[in-house]
PDB file of all heavy atoms in Angstrom:
ATOM      1  N   VAL A  30       0.358   2.792  10.831  1.00  0.00           N
ATOM      2  CA  VAL A  30       0.079   1.726  11.813  1.00  0.00           C
ATOM      3  C   VAL A  30       1.089   0.620  11.844  1.00  0.00           C
ATOM      4  O   VAL A  30       1.586   0.183  12.863  1.00  0.00           O
ATOM      5  CB  VAL A  30      -1.418   1.217  11.611  1.00  0.00           C
ATOM      6  CG1 VAL A  30      -1.564   0.004  12.547  1.00  0.00           C
ATOM      7  CG2 VAL A  30      -2.392   2.339  11.945  1.00  0.00           C
ATOM      8  N   THR A  31       1.417   0.168  10.693  1.00  0.00           N
ATOM      9  CA  THR A  31       2.344  -0.937  10.604  1.00  0.00           C
ATOM     10  C   THR A  31       3.736  -0.558  11.013  1.00  0.00           C
ATOM     11  O   THR A  31       4.379  -1.347  11.805  1.00  0.00           O
ATOM     12  CB  THR A  31       2.515  -1.354   9.004  1.00  0.00           C
ATOM     13  OG1 THR A  31       1.171  -1.759   8.646  1.00  0.00           O
ATOM     14  CG2 THR A  31       3.357  -2.547   8.904  1.00  0.00           C
ATOM     15  N   GLU A  32       4.196   0.736  10.639  1.00  0.00           N
ATOM     16  CA  GLU A  32       5.455   1.161  11.072  1.00  0.00           C
ATOM     17  C   GLU A  32       5.604   1.389  12.628  1.00  0.00           C
ATOM     18  O   GLU A  32       6.577   1.005  13.253  1.00  0.00           O
ATOM     19  CB  GLU A  32       5.847   2.366  10.363  1.00  0.00           C
ATOM     20  CG  GLU A  32       6.172   2.213   8.903  1.00  0.00           C
ATOM     21  CD  GLU A  32       6.681   3.498   8.216  1.00  0.00           C
ATOM     22  OE1 GLU A  32       6.330   4.568   8.833  1.00  0.00           O
ATOM     23  OE2 GLU A  32       7.269   3.412   7.150  1.00  0.00           O
ATOM     24  N   LYS A  33       4.414   1.898  13.109  1.00  0.00           N
ATOM     25  CA  LYS A  33       4.494   2.223  14.560  1.00  0.00           C
ATOM     26  C   LYS A  33       4.618   0.944  15.401  1.00  0.00           C
ATOM     27  O   LYS A  33       5.289   0.896  16.511  1.00  0.00           O
ATOM     28  CB  LYS A  33       3.175   2.910  14.947  1.00  0.00           C
ATOM     29  CG  LYS A  33       3.156   3.242  16.454  1.00  0.00           C
ATOM     30  CD  LYS A  33       1.934   4.114  16.702  1.00  0.00           C
ATOM     31  CE  LYS A  33       2.074   5.614  16.075  1.00  0.00           C
ATOM     32  NZ  LYS A  33       0.938   6.503  16.377  1.00  0.00           N
ATOM     33  N   ILE A  34       3.998  -0.141  15.050  1.00  0.00           N
ATOM     34  CA  ILE A  34       3.935  -1.376  15.752  1.00  0.00           C
ATOM     35  C   ILE A  34       5.256  -2.138  15.576  1.00  0.00           C
ATOM     36  O   ILE A  34       5.896  -2.771  16.436  1.00  0.00           O
ATOM     37  CB  ILE A  34       2.757  -2.102  15.488  1.00  0.00           C
ATOM     38  CG1 ILE A  34       1.429  -1.414  15.932  1.00  0.00           C
ATOM     39  CG2 ILE A  34       2.773  -3.647  16.241  1.00  0.00           C
ATOM     40  CD1 ILE A  34       0.113  -1.996  15.416  1.00  0.00           C
ATOM     41  N   THR A  35       5.649  -2.245  14.179  1.00  0.00           N
ATOM     42  CA  THR A  35       6.845  -3.155  13.990  1.00  0.00           C
ATOM     43  C   THR A  35       8.095  -2.399  14.499  1.00  0.00           C
ATOM     44  O   THR A  35       8.995  -3.073  14.800  1.00  0.00           O
ATOM     45  CB  THR A  35       6.937  -3.420  12.457  1.00  0.00           C
ATOM     46  OG1 THR A  35       6.844  -2.101  11.727  1.00  0.00           O
ATOM     47  CG2 THR A  35       5.829  -4.057  11.928  1.00  0.00           C
ATOM     48  N   ARG A  36       8.065  -1.060  14.489  1.00  0.00           N
ATOM     49  CA  ARG A  36       9.285  -0.413  14.921  1.00  0.00           C
ATOM     50  C   ARG A  36       9.668  -0.839  16.395  1.00  0.00           C
ATOM     51  O   ARG A  36      10.832  -0.829  16.791  1.00  0.00           O
ATOM     52  CB  ARG A  36       9.070   1.088  14.874  1.00  0.00           C
ATOM     53  CG  ARG A  36      10.287   1.852  15.134  1.00  0.00           C
ATOM     54  CD  ARG A  36      10.280   3.396  14.774  1.00  0.00           C
ATOM     55  NE  ARG A  36       9.105   4.017  15.382  1.00  0.00           N
ATOM     56  CZ  ARG A  36       7.953   4.486  14.740  1.00  0.00           C
ATOM     57  NH1 ARG A  36       7.956   4.304  13.401  1.00  0.00           N
ATOM     58  NH2 ARG A  36       6.949   5.029  15.412  1.00  0.00           N
ATOM     59  N   ILE A  37       8.618  -1.033  17.265  1.00  0.00           N
ATOM     60  CA  ILE A  37       8.910  -1.360  18.605  1.00  0.00           C
ATOM     61  C   ILE A  37       9.554  -2.700  18.659  1.00  0.00           C
ATOM     62  O   ILE A  37      10.487  -2.849  19.541  1.00  0.00           O
ATOM     63  CB  ILE A  37       7.411  -1.558  19.335  1.00  0.00           C
ATOM     64  CG1 ILE A  37       6.716  -0.208  19.461  1.00  0.00           C
ATOM     65  CG2 ILE A  37       7.705  -2.076  20.771  1.00  0.00           C
ATOM     66  CD1 ILE A  37       5.452  -0.301  19.993  1.00  0.00           C
ATOM     67  N   VAL A  38       9.332  -3.592  17.717  1.00  0.00           N
ATOM     68  CA  VAL A  38      10.034  -5.017  17.731  1.00  0.00           C
ATOM     69  C   VAL A  38      11.276  -5.008  16.986  1.00  0.00           C
ATOM     70  O   VAL A  38      12.272  -5.546  17.391  1.00  0.00           O
ATOM     71  CB  VAL A  38       8.913  -5.904  17.318  1.00  0.00           C
ATOM     72  CG1 VAL A  38       9.630  -7.337  17.289  1.00  0.00           C
ATOM     73  CG2 VAL A  38       7.697  -6.038  18.105  1.00  0.00           C
ATOM     74  N   LEU A  39      11.235  -4.346  15.789  1.00  0.00           N
ATOM     75  CA  LEU A  39      12.386  -4.556  14.906  1.00  0.00           C
ATOM     76  C   LEU A  39      13.480  -3.566  15.114  1.00  0.00           C
ATOM     77  O   LEU A  39      14.562  -3.556  14.433  1.00  0.00           O
ATOM     78  CB  LEU A  39      11.943  -4.417  13.460  1.00  0.00           C
ATOM     79  CG  LEU A  39      10.886  -5.488  12.964  1.00  0.00           C
ATOM     80  CD1 LEU A  39      10.450  -5.352  11.571  1.00  0.00           C
ATOM     81  CD2 LEU A  39      11.586  -6.962  13.225  1.00  0.00           C
ATOM     82  N   THR A  40      13.314  -2.604  16.000  1.00  0.00           N
ATOM     83  CA  THR A  40      14.384  -1.584  16.264  1.00  0.00           C
ATOM     84  C   THR A  40      15.609  -2.334  16.909  1.00  0.00           C
ATOM     85  O   THR A  40      15.498  -3.170  17.670  1.00  0.00           O
ATOM     86  CB  THR A  40      13.905  -0.521  17.312  1.00  0.00           C
ATOM     87  OG1 THR A  40      14.866   0.360  17.602  1.00  0.00           O
ATOM     88  CG2 THR A  40      13.392  -1.130  18.605  1.00  0.00           C
ATOM     89  N   PRO A  41      16.790  -1.931  16.341  1.00  0.00           N
ATOM     90  CA  PRO A  41      17.993  -2.582  16.777  1.00  0.00           C
ATOM     91  C   PRO A  41      18.361  -2.263  18.235  1.00  0.00           C
ATOM     92  O   PRO A  41      19.202  -2.915  18.830  1.00  0.00           O
ATOM     93  CB  PRO A  41      19.118  -2.156  15.860  1.00  0.00           C
ATOM     94  CG  PRO A  41      18.500  -0.807  15.295  1.00  0.00           C
ATOM     95  CD  PRO A  41      17.045  -1.029  15.241  1.00  0.00           C
ATOM     96  N   THR A  42      17.848  -1.055  18.726  1.00  0.00           N
ATOM     97  CA  THR A  42      18.114  -0.755  20.118  1.00  0.00           C
ATOM     98  C   THR A  42      16.920  -0.997  21.025  1.00  0.00           C
ATOM     99  O   THR A  42      15.889  -0.492  20.658  1.00  0.00           O
ATOM    100  CB  THR A  42      18.674   0.754  20.078  1.00  0.00           C
ATOM    101  OG1 THR A  42      17.534   1.594  19.529  1.00  0.00           O
ATOM    102  CG2 THR A  42      19.900   1.008  19.258  1.00  0.00           C
ATOM    103  N   THR A  43      17.224  -1.314  22.248  1.00  0.00           N
ATOM    104  CA  THR A  43      16.158  -1.569  23.163  1.00  0.00           C
ATOM    105  C   THR A  43      16.221  -0.379  24.227  1.00  0.00           C
ATOM    106  O   THR A  43      17.196   0.021  24.749  1.00  0.00           O
ATOM    107  CB  THR A  43      16.378  -2.770  23.961  1.00  0.00           C
ATOM    108  OG1 THR A  43      16.404  -3.781  23.093  1.00  0.00           O
ATOM    109  CG2 THR A  43      15.193  -3.027  24.936  1.00  0.00           C
ATOM    110  N   PRO A  44      15.047   0.420  24.438  1.00  0.00           N
ATOM    111  CA  PRO A  44      14.954   1.461  25.442  1.00  0.00           C
ATOM    112  C   PRO A  44      15.587   1.072  26.729  1.00  0.00           C
ATOM    113  O   PRO A  44      15.357  -0.087  27.294  1.00  0.00           O
ATOM    114  CB  PRO A  44      13.502   1.851  25.410  1.00  0.00           C
ATOM    115  CG  PRO A  44      12.880   1.235  24.281  1.00  0.00           C
ATOM    116  CD  PRO A  44      13.715   0.077  23.904  1.00  0.00           C
ATOM    117  N   LEU A  45      16.296   2.041  27.365  1.00  0.00           N
ATOM    118  CA  LEU A  45      16.746   1.760  28.757  1.00  0.00           C
ATOM    119  C   LEU A  45      15.744   1.477  29.781  1.00  0.00           C
ATOM    120  O   LEU A  45      15.892   0.770  30.670  1.00  0.00           O
ATOM    121  CB  LEU A  45      17.677   3.056  29.122  1.00  0.00           C
ATOM    122  CG  LEU A  45      18.941   3.207  28.308  1.00  0.00           C
ATOM    123  CD1 LEU A  45      19.600   4.471  28.846  1.00  0.00           C
ATOM    124  CD2 LEU A  45      19.809   2.019  28.513  1.00  0.00           C
ATOM    125  N   GLY A  46      14.507   2.185  29.555  1.00  0.00           N
ATOM    126  CA  GLY A  46      13.533   1.941  30.566  1.00  0.00           C
ATOM    127  C   GLY A  46      13.028   0.400  30.523  1.00  0.00           C
ATOM    128  O   GLY A  46      12.620  -0.098  31.513  1.00  0.00           O
ATOM    129  N   TRP A  47      13.003  -0.139  29.303  1.00  0.00           N
ATOM    130  CA  TRP A  47      12.689  -1.630  29.195  1.00  0.00           C
ATOM    131  C   TRP A  47      13.646  -2.419  29.995  1.00  0.00           C
ATOM    132  O   TRP A  47      13.293  -3.351  30.786  1.00  0.00           O
ATOM    133  CB  TRP A  47      12.757  -1.953  27.739  1.00  0.00           C
ATOM    134  CG  TRP A  47      12.234  -3.442  27.533  1.00  0.00           C
ATOM    135  CD1 TRP A  47      11.072  -3.876  27.195  1.00  0.00           C
ATOM    136  CD2 TRP A  47      13.061  -4.639  27.560  1.00  0.00           C
ATOM    137  NE1 TRP A  47      10.956  -5.149  27.109  1.00  0.00           N
ATOM    138  CE2 TRP A  47      12.228  -5.663  27.289  1.00  0.00           C
ATOM    139  CE3 TRP A  47      14.436  -4.932  27.854  1.00  0.00           C
ATOM    140  CZ2 TRP A  47      12.693  -7.045  27.230  1.00  0.00           C
ATOM    141  CZ3 TRP A  47      14.863  -6.134  27.848  1.00  0.00           C
ATOM    142  CH2 TRP A  47      13.942  -7.162  27.630  1.00  0.00           C
ATOM    143  N   PHE A  48      14.936  -2.069  29.941  1.00  0.00           N
ATOM    144  CA  PHE A  48      16.108  -2.778  30.665  1.00  0.00           C
ATOM    145  C   PHE A  48      15.909  -2.704  32.107  1.00  0.00           C
ATOM    146  O   PHE A  48      15.988  -3.548  32.904  1.00  0.00           O
ATOM    147  CB  PHE A  48      17.398  -2.487  30.249  1.00  0.00           C
ATOM    148  CG  PHE A  48      17.895  -3.004  29.024  1.00  0.00           C
ATOM    149  CD1 PHE A  48      18.066  -2.327  27.855  1.00  0.00           C
ATOM    150  CD2 PHE A  48      18.105  -4.427  28.921  1.00  0.00           C
ATOM    151  CE1 PHE A  48      18.478  -2.835  26.686  1.00  0.00           C
ATOM    152  CE2 PHE A  48      18.621  -5.066  27.694  1.00  0.00           C
ATOM    153  CZ  PHE A  48      18.817  -4.209  26.666  1.00  0.00           C
ATOM    154  N   ALA A  49      15.443  -1.445  32.576  1.00  0.00           N
ATOM    155  CA  ALA A  49      15.234  -1.166  34.017  1.00  0.00           C
ATOM    156  C   ALA A  49      14.178  -2.019  34.658  1.00  0.00           C
ATOM    157  O   ALA A  49      14.265  -2.606  35.709  1.00  0.00           O
ATOM    158  CB  ALA A  49      15.079   0.369  34.225  1.00  0.00           C
ATOM    159  N   VAL A  50      12.993  -1.995  33.957  1.00  0.00           N
ATOM    160  CA  VAL A  50      11.844  -2.648  34.439  1.00  0.00           C
ATOM    161  C   VAL A  50      12.146  -4.177  34.326  1.00  0.00           C
ATOM    162  O   VAL A  50      11.755  -4.979  35.235  1.00  0.00           O
ATOM    163  CB  VAL A  50      10.600  -2.359  33.598  1.00  0.00           C
ATOM    164  CG1 VAL A  50       9.362  -3.033  34.236  1.00  0.00           C
ATOM    165  CG2 VAL A  50      10.375  -0.825  33.855  1.00  0.00           C
ATOM    166  N   PHE A  51      12.735  -4.646  33.236  1.00  0.00           N
ATOM    167  CA  PHE A  51      13.025  -6.037  33.052  1.00  0.00           C
ATOM    168  C   PHE A  51      14.013  -6.575  34.116  1.00  0.00           C
ATOM    169  O   PHE A  51      13.940  -7.603  34.718  1.00  0.00           O
ATOM    170  CB  PHE A  51      13.607  -6.301  31.635  1.00  0.00           C
ATOM    171  CG  PHE A  51      13.890  -7.800  31.494  1.00  0.00           C
ATOM    172  CD1 PHE A  51      12.888  -8.770  31.114  1.00  0.00           C
ATOM    173  CD2 PHE A  51      15.226  -8.368  31.489  1.00  0.00           C
ATOM    174  CE1 PHE A  51      13.098 -10.005  30.861  1.00  0.00           C
ATOM    175  CE2 PHE A  51      15.466  -9.653  31.273  1.00  0.00           C
ATOM    176  CZ  PHE A  51      14.350 -10.499  30.892  1.00  0.00           C
ATOM    177  N   GLY A  52      14.885  -5.626  34.519  1.00  0.00           N
ATOM    178  CA  GLY A  52      15.959  -5.953  35.590  1.00  0.00           C
ATOM    179  C   GLY A  52      15.195  -6.238  36.926  1.00  0.00           C
ATOM    180  O   GLY A  52      15.563  -7.126  37.640  1.00  0.00           O
ATOM    181  N   VAL A  53      14.190  -5.348  37.214  1.00  0.00           N
ATOM    182  CA  VAL A  53      13.415  -5.456  38.433  1.00  0.00           C
ATOM    183  C   VAL A  53      12.587  -6.727  38.398  1.00  0.00           C
ATOM    184  O   VAL A  53      12.620  -7.599  39.391  1.00  0.00           O
ATOM    185  CB  VAL A  53      12.493  -4.293  38.676  1.00  0.00           C
ATOM    186  CG1 VAL A  53      11.500  -4.456  39.813  1.00  0.00           C
ATOM    187  CG2 VAL A  53      13.172  -3.073  38.826  1.00  0.00           C
ATOM    188  N   GLY A  54      11.997  -7.068  37.309  1.00  0.00           N
ATOM    189  CA  GLY A  54      11.256  -8.344  37.107  1.00  0.00           C
ATOM    190  C   GLY A  54      12.172  -9.516  37.314  1.00  0.00           C
ATOM    191  O   GLY A  54      11.741 -10.541  37.899  1.00  0.00           O
ATOM    192  N   GLY A  55      13.267  -9.485  36.622  1.00  0.00           N
ATOM    193  CA  GLY A  55      14.176 -10.622  36.760  1.00  0.00           C
ATOM    194  C   GLY A  55      14.750 -10.782  38.133  1.00  0.00           C
ATOM    195  O   GLY A  55      14.919 -11.921  38.644  1.00  0.00           O
ATOM    196  N   ALA A  56      14.934  -9.683  38.870  1.00  0.00           N
ATOM    197  CA  ALA A  56      15.420  -9.910  40.281  1.00  0.00           C
ATOM    198  C   ALA A  56      14.407 -10.384  41.181  1.00  0.00           C
ATOM    199  O   ALA A  56      14.723 -11.374  42.004  1.00  0.00           O
ATOM    200  CB  ALA A  56      15.871  -8.478  40.770  1.00  0.00           C
ATOM    201  N   LEU A  57      13.126 -10.068  40.936  1.00  0.00           N
ATOM    202  CA  LEU A  57      12.019 -10.708  41.695  1.00  0.00           C
ATOM    203  C   LEU A  57      11.735 -12.134  41.244  1.00  0.00           C
ATOM    204  O   LEU A  57      11.501 -12.964  42.241  1.00  0.00           O
ATOM    205  CB  LEU A  57      10.733  -9.858  41.518  1.00  0.00           C
ATOM    206  CG  LEU A  57      10.809  -8.373  41.925  1.00  0.00           C
ATOM    207  CD1 LEU A  57       9.361  -7.766  41.686  1.00  0.00           C
ATOM    208  CD2 LEU A  57      11.067  -8.235  43.462  1.00  0.00           C
ATOM    209  N   ALA A  58      11.981 -12.413  40.003  1.00  0.00           N
ATOM    210  CA  ALA A  58      11.847 -13.841  39.612  1.00  0.00           C
ATOM    211  C   ALA A  58      12.928 -14.693  40.186  1.00  0.00           C
ATOM    212  O   ALA A  58      12.834 -15.821  40.465  1.00  0.00           O
ATOM    213  CB  ALA A  58      11.913 -13.925  38.088  1.00  0.00           C
ATOM    214  N   THR A  59      14.162 -14.072  40.469  1.00  0.00           N
ATOM    215  CA  THR A  59      15.200 -14.815  41.163  1.00  0.00           C
ATOM    216  C   THR A  59      14.720 -15.137  42.643  1.00  0.00           C
ATOM    217  O   THR A  59      15.107 -16.289  43.104  1.00  0.00           O
ATOM    218  CB  THR A  59      16.511 -13.933  41.186  1.00  0.00           C
ATOM    219  OG1 THR A  59      16.809 -13.592  39.812  1.00  0.00           O
ATOM    220  CG2 THR A  59      17.575 -14.751  41.819  1.00  0.00           C
TER     221      THR A  59
END
Side-chain angles (χ1 to χ4, degrees):
V30 168
T31 303
E32 286 182 344
K33 182 173 291 186
I34 297 172
T35 55
R36 186 169 57 244
I37 297 173
V38 179
L39 297 179
T40 180
T42 59
T43 304
L45 293 178
W47 186 94
F48 279 112
V50 181
F51 183 78
V53 173
L57 296 179
T59 304

